[in-house]
Amino acid sequence: MWSTTAVHRWASTGSWPADAPPELPAGTDMNELQRLDDGVGPMFHRIYRTRIVGSPLSAGQLMELLSADLDRMAPSEFATFQKLEGKKGTLRRGDEYIVRMPGPWDGPVRVTAVDATSFRLATLDGHLEAGQIEFRVYSDYRSLWFEIESWARSGDRLSDLLYTRLRFSKEVQLHMWSSVLRRIIRLAGGRMEDGIVITTRSVEPGSLPGRRSGGGAGAGIDPGLAELAGRRVNFDATKIDSYIHEDGWLVDDMIEQLPDEAAGPPIEGASWETARRLMDNYQLADPRVVSFLYDTDAPLAGRDMLLKIRYGFLRFSVGVRIGDVYEETVTVEGRQVRIFGWDYRTLQGHFEQGQMHYEIWKWLDTGNVEFHLRAVSRAAQSGPFLLRTGFRLFGRTHQLRFYRAACRRIRRLIEAQLEADRAARRS
C-alpha cells in the first residue's frame, strides 16, 4: 500500500446529465448488466490521468499490448483479470472477465466497446459497483496520455457503507488504479511526468434518473433546507458598508491569480467562464470540510443554502442566503474589467454574522483573470451558545484557513478543468 507517486486529487460536485456516462453502443448485451440505476448512493464520475514521456510506443501499440492481456496492467497485490470465455489474447466486445481481488471483492465485467486506442467495461450482477469504466490512450507531439474514466455507484448498501461512509473501499480503489497506471507506464517503457491527477465529480442520488436510493422523485427538499425559508438574515444587511468601521467587525480581502486567457471579452471554455461555472455551483468549499444543499430549481439570487460543516469529530449545519448576483463591465483605474459575482449572508442560527462576496475579474486589456474574496463578519450575537462561544475561541484561525483554501481550490479546479478540456480535444 506504500506509494511515493505524486497524486493530485480534486473533488467537486457534479450534475446530471453533464456527468452522465456515455450511452451503451447499440446491440449491447443487457443481460445481467448492473447499470447506474441498480446502484446505491451517489454516482462518482472520476478520471485518473497521467502523462508518459520517453516511450518508444505509439498510442495504438500500447493499447494493443494491453488488449492482448489485461493482466499486464493489473497489480497482483490488488487484482487479476480472469477471462471467462473466448480466445485468450484478444479483447472483443461481449467478452466477460472476473476481476479477482483479495477478500469477497471479485467483480464480473463485460466489454462493451473496443477500438484501436480504448476499451470500455460495464459491471455485471454481483460487482461492488454499478456503472462503466473506460481505458484510453492518446498522444501528442512528445508524449502519451493514459486515462481511466469511470461512472459508478456502489452496487449495494454494504458497498456504499464501505465506500462513502467508512471510505475504506475508496482508498483501496485509489491505490489500485494508481498502481495500474504505474504498471502501464512500465509496459510503455517510459516514465511518468507530473504524477497522477485524479478528478472526482459526485452526483447525489436525488439528481440521478431512474430508481433513486433514499427517495424517489417525490422525496421533496431536505427538511433542514426547507426550514431555512422561514429564517431571517441575522444582521442588518443595509448597514454592511458601515460595519467595516465598527469595532468587533472583521474585514478580509483576498485575491488569487487564475490562469490567464487572451485579451478581450471572456472566452467560452477558458478561465473566466470556467470559474463562473464553478461559482454558480458553489464549488469553492472543500467538500471534506463543508458540504452543502440547495434547491437546484431555485434561481441563484435569493437561493438558500444549508452548509454542513465538519470540524474534527463535530458536525453542525448553518444557513446562508445568496443576495445580489451581478455581471458587469466597469472601469477601474482607467482599465476595463469584466466582473461576475455574488454575495451570501448569514441566517439566524449561524455562529457568524456577516456577508461574503465572491467575484471573478477579467482585465480586458491583458486577459489576466483573478478571483476576489471579500468578507465582513463577526461572531453572532444570538443563536446556539456553544457554537458562538467556540467560534469566538477558535474560529478566526479556521475562518482564515477556509478563505485561503477557497482561493487555492478555485485556481486548482480551473487548472484541472482546463487540462481535462485540452486532453479531450487531443483525444
Side-chain angles (χ1 to χ4, degrees):
M1 301 289 286
W2 178 262
S3 171
T4 56
T5 301
V7 176
H8 312 280
R9 303 166 71 172
W10 306 111
S12 60
T13 302
S15 61
W16 192 274
D19 291 286
E23 293 288 338
L24 291 167
T28 298
D29 180 4
M30 305 299 289
N31 185 43
E32 298 182 344
L33 214 61
Q34 194 159 267
R35 293 170 291 180
L36 282 179
D37 57 2
D38 296 314
V40 174
M43 186 204 79
F44 294 96
H45 177 199
R46 182 169 284 119
I47 301 177
Y48 299 79
R49 177 185 297 108
T50 193
R51 173 184 282 178
I52 307 170
V53 297
S55 172
L57 303 180
S58 67
Q61 289 170 332
L62 177 56
M63 186 54 65
E64 185 176 0
L65 287 176
L66 290 176
S67 299
D69 184 2
L70 294 187
D71 254 355
R72 285 174 169 161
M73 69 176 183
S76 58
E77 68 271 24
F78 288 112
T80 60
F81 284 82
Q82 178 182 331
K83 196 169 188 178
L84 295 184
E85 296 179 357
K87 184 179 178 182
K88 189 175 181 180
T90 62
L91 183 68
R92 293 193 177 98
R93 184 178 168 190
D95 286 349
E96 294 185 3
Y97 289 81
I98 292 285
V99 185
R100 301 288 187 189
M101 291 180 280
W105 314 111
D106 292 352
V109 295
R110 178 178 296 146
V111 180
T112 59
V114 181
D115 62 27
T117 56
S118 70
F119 64 90
R120 197 187 323 154
L121 309 176
T123 59
L124 301 178
D125 290 343
H127 199 288
L128 279 172
E129 293 186 315
Q132 301 182 58
I133 186 167
E134 182 169 291
F135 302 79
R136 58 179 176 263
V137 60
Y138 49 92
S139 60
D140 59 20
Y141 70 99
R142 69 180 188 91
S143 58
L144 298 174
W145 292 81
F146 202 96
E147 292 182 345
I148 303 170
E149 184 170 13
S150 66
W151 305 262
R153 304 173 72 189
S154 296
D156 53 38
R157 295 191 181 280
L158 175 59
S159 301
D160 183 52
L161 174 67
L162 292 172
Y163 191 92
T164 61
R165 311 302 177 190
L166 302 181
R167 300 183 181 271
F168 172 76
S169 297
K170 181 178 181 179
E171 293 306 310
V172 170
Q173 186 182 70
L174 165 71
H175 285 282
M176 182 179 75
W177 292 125
S178 298
S179 297
V180 164
L181 289 175
R182 288 194 294 270
R183 288 178 67 93
I184 289 170
I185 291 166
R186 288 197 294 270
L187 181 63
R191 67 182 187 278
M192 180 186 296
E193 186 171 276
D194 298 329
I196 297 171
V197 177
I198 305 171
T199 57
T200 302
R201 290 172 56 84
S202 58
V203 182
E204 290 302 311
S207 300
L208 297 171
R211 299 191 296 272
R212 297 174 179 174
S213 173
I221 299 174
D222 180 274
L225 175 60
E227 191 265 337
L228 296 182
R231 297 191 192 183
R232 298 191 302 274
V233 172
N234 65 356
F235 67 100
D236 188 347
T238 64
K239 297 181 179 180
I240 193 68
D241 291 333
S242 67
Y243 290 148
I244 62 177
H245 305 294
E246 296 184 14
D247 291 340
W249 286 88
L250 300 169
V251 180
D252 295 289
D253 276 293
M254 295 187 181
I255 299 175
E256 184 77 14
Q257 297 296 323
L258 303 180
D260 296 336
E261 55 183 76
I267 301 168
E268 183 177 357
S271 183
W272 193 89
E273 291 283 359
T274 302
R276 175 175 177 161
R277 290 198 303 272
L278 292 172
M279 281 181 53
D280 279 344
N281 297 321
Y282 192 61
Q283 301 294 324
L284 304 171
D286 185 340
R288 295 171 297 181
V289 179
V290 179
S291 59
F292 58 92
L293 290 174
Y294 63 82
D295 182 359
T296 56
D297 294 328
L300 183 58
R303 176 188 294 170
D304 289 337
M305 294 197 300
L306 183 68
L307 307 183
K308 298 186 175 183
I309 301 172
R310 301 174 179 88
Y311 177 66
F313 62 88
L314 300 176
R315 304 288 187 272
F316 42 89
S317 299
V318 295
V320 298
R321 179 169 297 138
I322 294 178
D324 297 324
V325 179
Y326 46 92
E327 181 176 347
E328 57 189 349
T329 299
V330 299
T331 300
V332 178
E333 297 180 352
R335 302 170 62 196
Q336 283 197 314
V337 58
R338 186 68 174 175
I339 299 176
F340 169 75
W342 48 262
D343 62 67
Y344 69 58
R345 300 158 183 170
T346 54
L347 300 180
Q348 292 171 329
H350 203 298
F351 51 80
E352 284 186 72
Q353 288 179 289
Q355 181 169 293
M356 185 181 299
H357 286 263
Y358 296 117
E359 295 181 339
I360 304 296
W361 289 35
K362 179 180 179 181
W363 297 94
L364 302 187
D365 56 345
T366 63
N368 296 132
V369 183
E370 302 167 345
F371 173 67
H372 289 238
L373 182 155
R374 184 173 189 270
V376 179
S377 66
R378 71 174 181 181
Q381 307 301 299
S382 62
F385 175 76
L386 288 179
L387 290 182
R388 290 188 287 121
T389 303
F391 182 73
R392 286 189 172 91
L393 293 175
F394 310 109
R396 182 57 175 167
T397 298
H398 293 278
Q399 184 183 51
L400 291 174
R401 184 179 299 166
F402 173 82
Y403 294 163
R404 288 191 290 264
C407 291
R408 291 193 300 269
R409 177 177 169 80
I410 191 168
R411 172 173 55 84
R412 290 171 177 170
L413 284 176
I414 291 170
E415 290 170 347
Q417 184 61 55
L418 294 177
E419 177 57 40
D421 292 343
R422 285 193 290 268
R425 289 194 294 269
R426 285 193 295 266
S427 63

